[in-house]
């Protein structure tokens, strides 16, 4: 350690208080985090690229500073899906600090990593007060049946109004309008469940019909629209 002449000639004053960092909640414990290995938890981070063309939701399950599980969800950019494929291979097994300083291929994923790092470093995790945290694989519960991301896709114009394209329930087939031309419900097909049945040998047409549902007052509608064509 090199000291300047001014510091070398100074009188040494004793440090009075040295109680360490404030404890943060981690998986049901209060931890004074001093090193990366002191960090555990499951949390989420949202990131975006410079042109803000796409976004990423990153979920990490960290045990003693090591990333054990990574879920990378992207939207709005086709190239980002390939970046996510690479990032999902890169992340697991790295320490939080390594991951923070690793090129995760896409700016949106890098920003999501930065945001989740802050969440975990400050003890703002989903598992802050859950004893022993969550098991590896817990992030898949966010996806639901068929392991598909929860996607909402809506479009609207002042001239022609709103179009529902995809909801948590699934891919929108028809939108129902009342006598005032206002949306009162919709018909959808749950793609995750449909694909599960097809993979198990169910005829695709039957699987499609099995997983069609409605929401709201769809049956009472006066008019039905295909939101992608009408």
């Amino acid at each position: 350690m090199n000291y300047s002449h001014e510091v070398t000639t100074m009188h040494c004053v004793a440090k009075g208080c040295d109680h360490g960092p404030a404890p943060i909640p981690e998986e049901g414990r209060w931890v004074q985090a001093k090193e990366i290995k002191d960090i555990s938890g499951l949390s989420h981070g949202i990131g975006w690229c410079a042109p803000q063309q796409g976004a990423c939701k990153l979920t990490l399950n960290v045990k003693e500073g090591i990333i054990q599980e990574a879920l990378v969800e992207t939207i709005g950019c086709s190239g980002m899906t390939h970046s996510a494929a690479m990032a999902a291979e890169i992340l697991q097994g790295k320490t939080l600090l390594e991951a923070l300083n690793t090129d995760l291929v896409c700016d949106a994923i890098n920003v999501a990593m930065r945001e989740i790092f802050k969440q975990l470093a400050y003890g703002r995790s989903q598992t802050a007060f859950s004893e022993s945290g969550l098991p590896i694989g817990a992030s898949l519960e966010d996806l639901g049946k068929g392991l598909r991301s929860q996607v909402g896709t809506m479009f609207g114009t002042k001239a022609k109004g709103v179009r529902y394209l995809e909801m948590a329930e699934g891919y929108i087939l028809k939108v129902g309008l009342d006598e005032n031309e206002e949306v009162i419900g919709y018909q959808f097909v749950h793609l995750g469940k449909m694909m599960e049945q097809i993979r198990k040998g169910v005829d695709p047409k039957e699987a499609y019909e099995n997983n069609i549902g409605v929401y709201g007052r769809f049956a009472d509608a006066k008019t039905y629209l295909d939101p992608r064509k009408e």
Side-chain angles (χ1 to χ4, degrees), residues 2-17:
N2 292 323
Y3 296 96
S4 68
H5 172 73
E6 289 79 9
V7 172
T8 303
T9 58
M10 285 180 180
H11 182 85
C12 185
V13 177
K15 182 179 180 180
C17 58

Side-chain angles (χ1 to χ4, degrees), residues 97 172 193:
L97 193 57
I172 305 301
K193 292 180 180 179

Side-chain angles (χ1 to χ4, degrees), residues 22-80:
I24 60 174
E26 289 185 19
E27 300 189 339
R29 298 174 297 122
W30 290 96
V31 177
Q32 285 187 306
K34 298 180 181 180
E35 301 178 28
I36 287 295
K37 66 180 179 63
D38 296 328
I39 303 293
S40 295
L42 183 143
S43 195
H44 314 278
I46 301 295
W48 54 93
C49 58
Q52 299 190 31
Q53 179 180 337
C56 169
K57 174 194 169 192
L58 177 62
T59 305
L60 299 181
N61 199 347
V62 178
K63 303 292 184 183
E64 297 180 350
I66 306 292
I67 296 171
Q68 301 292 340
E69 170 187 9
L71 172 64
V72 189
E73 300 174 83
T74 66
I75 190 169
C77 174
S78 57
M80 200 193 300

Side-chain angles (χ1 to χ4, degrees), residues 1 30 44 51 59 129 131 151 169 202 212 217:
M1 191 75 69
W30 290 96
H44 314 278
T59 305
F129 300 103
E131 189 172 351
V151 177
E169 294 88 353
V202 178
I212 291 177
R217 295 185 291 119

